[in-house]
């Protein structure tokens, strides 16, 4: 990766002044101490530069580890979703809203930022109904995010805080006592859409969308029609399909740009945010940006 020039950084900051960016944090960036440290530094730096940042984190490996320690069986559906019984959700909530959430919020604060850890149940942030798979499979208490309490997030942002969101949602309309396990990518995209964020960045363990017909060359930018075409012709397949689908959904909700970014690269967030210049569309090297 090239280091952005001073001129590029300056024009990026000018175009992004007071912007809102939602970042889905997961994968190797969470499990590597070095990448965790660089991520927290990036968030603290962006906050100090005047950007409003919301972080939504995953934690699948940590949940799996605790389920194993508690001798609780857990399975995944064919679509990759964890089948979530009440017992599984109870442990997922304990892990995500407890140690994982507080480690991330504390890490950002220790890097010089101001962060607060919350869950989707706090102030009914992520209001959910039970998700039913397209094949009719019952995946248990997996939440479909219907509404986001944006006023709650906006209040925290106005206080100069980075909300760090654990993706455990709440029922509503008489189902308030139910906790739902939510996909962190879906939650991040929905939050970004309802906040009308300038960007949503999905940190992943891949380089971005690559073209297998061109020696896996990175495709730096796509629009929605381009994504649909690459799915139709088989260029985008397998596990990449849900990743680009989350990004497309966010753009359809009004987000200006959705980034599938390689989180294995140190300071990936800072590089993408500051490396795009005045057009704000990323460095062109750290992943794929999807726009309308």
């Amino acid at each position: 990766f090239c280091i952005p020039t001073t001129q590029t950084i300056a024009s990026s900051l000018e175009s992004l002044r007071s912007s809102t960016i939602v970042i889905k944090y997961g994968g190797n960036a969470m499990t590597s101490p070095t990448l965790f440290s660089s991520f927290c530094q990036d968030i603290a730096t962006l906050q100090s530069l005047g950007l409003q940042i919301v972080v939504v984190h995953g934690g699948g490996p940590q949940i799996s580890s605790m389920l194993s320690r508690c001798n609780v069986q857990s399975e995944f559906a064919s679509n990759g979703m964890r089948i979530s019984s009440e017992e599984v959700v109870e442990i997922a909530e304990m892990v995500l809203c407890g140690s994982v959430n507080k480690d991330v919020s504390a890490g950002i604060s220790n890097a010089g930022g101001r962060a607060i850890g919350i869950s989707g149940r706090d102030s009914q942030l992520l209001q959910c109904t039970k998700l039913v798979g397209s094949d009719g499979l019952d995946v248990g208490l997996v939440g479909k995010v219907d509404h986001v309490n944006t006023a709650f997030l906006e209040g925290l942002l106005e206080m100069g805080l980075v909300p760090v969101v654990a993706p455990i949602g709440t029922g509503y309309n008489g189902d308030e006592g139910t906790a739902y396990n939510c996909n962190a990518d879906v939650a991040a995209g929905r939050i970004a859409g309802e906040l009308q964020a300038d960007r949503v960045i999905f940190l992943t363990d891949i380089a971005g969308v690559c073209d297998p017909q061109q020696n896996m060359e990175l495709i730096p930018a796509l629009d929605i029609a381009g994504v649909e075409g690459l799915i139709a012709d088989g260029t985008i397949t397998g596990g990449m399909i849900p990743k680009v689908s989350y990004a497309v959904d966010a753009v359809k909700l009004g987000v200006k740009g959705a980034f599938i970014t390689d989180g294995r690269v140190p300071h990936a967030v800072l590089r993408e945010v500051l490396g795009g210049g005045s057009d704000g569309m990323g460095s062109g090297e750290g992943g794929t940006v999807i726009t309308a």
Side-chain angles (χ1 to χ4, degrees), residues 23-276:
I23 300 168
K24 187 270 176 164
Y25 176 50
N28 282 335
M30 284 190 76
T31 56
S32 160
T34 300
L35 293 176
F36 172 76
S37 178
S38 70
F39 171 81
C40 294
Q41 292 168 13
D42 287 0
I43 301 305
T45 298
L46 292 175
Q47 185 185 36
S48 72
L49 292 172
L51 280 69
Q52 294 187 318
I53 308 294
V54 178
V55 174
V56 182
H57 64 77
Q62 293 91 332
I63 294 171
S64 295
S65 175
M66 184 59 72
L67 287 168
S68 177
R69 288 171 60 184
C70 295
N71 294 316
V72 175
Q73 296 298 313
S74 175
E75 298 179 351
F76 287 88
S78 58
N79 58 9
M81 289 187 292
R82 188 188 298 271
I83 297 176
S84 299
S85 65
E86 286 188 20
E87 193 173 18
V88 167
V89 174
E90 181 179 4
I91 291 174
E93 183 172 17
M94 176 177 67
V95 172
L96 293 177
C97 303
S99 58
V100 174
N101 185 260
K102 300 314 171 190
D103 283 348
V104 177
S105 62
I108 294 169
S109 298
N110 292 339
R114 295 184 65 219
I116 184 168
I118 58 176
S119 84
R121 298 185 74 185
D122 294 326
S123 197
Q124 294 190 311
L125 174 59
L126 299 177
Q127 299 169 31
C128 301
T129 50
K130 180 180 167 68
L131 179 69
V132 177
S134 58
D135 55 3
L137 177 67
D138 184 354
V139 291
L141 295 174
V142 174
K144 173 180 174 288
V145 181
D146 294 332
H147 306 288
V148 176
N149 184 353
T150 54
F152 177 46
L153 288 178
E154 288 164 351
L156 295 174
L157 291 169
E158 288 170 5
M159 292 170 62
L161 296 168
V162 173
V164 177
V165 182
I168 296 292
T170 180
Y172 67 103
N173 284 349
D175 188 32
E176 286 81 1
T178 302
Y180 286 99
N181 188 17
C182 300
N183 179 290
D185 293 290
V186 173
R190 187 65 190 236
I191 287 172
E194 295 212 19
L195 282 175
Q196 293 295 286
D198 294 87
R199 296 183 182 183
V200 58
I201 297 174
F202 300 95
L203 290 182
T204 69
D205 291 339
I206 55 174
V209 180
C210 298
D211 188 347
Q213 299 179 2
Q214 298 294 329
N215 295 317
M216 298 306 290
E217 181 178 334
L218 177 68
I219 303 174
L222 288 165
D223 59 18
I224 292 175
V227 170
E228 293 171 346
L230 292 178
I231 292 174
D233 70 14
T235 299
I236 297 176
T237 60
M240 179 57 74
I241 292 177
K243 294 182 189 299
V244 297
S245 297
Y246 303 143
V248 166
D249 289 345
V251 172
K252 287 180 177 178
L253 285 169
V255 179
K256 295 177 184 176
F259 294 71
I260 299 172
T261 299
D262 191 347
R264 300 168 299 179
V265 177
H267 299 291
V269 172
L270 206 59
R271 290 174 183 272
E272 283 307 284
V273 173
L274 299 184

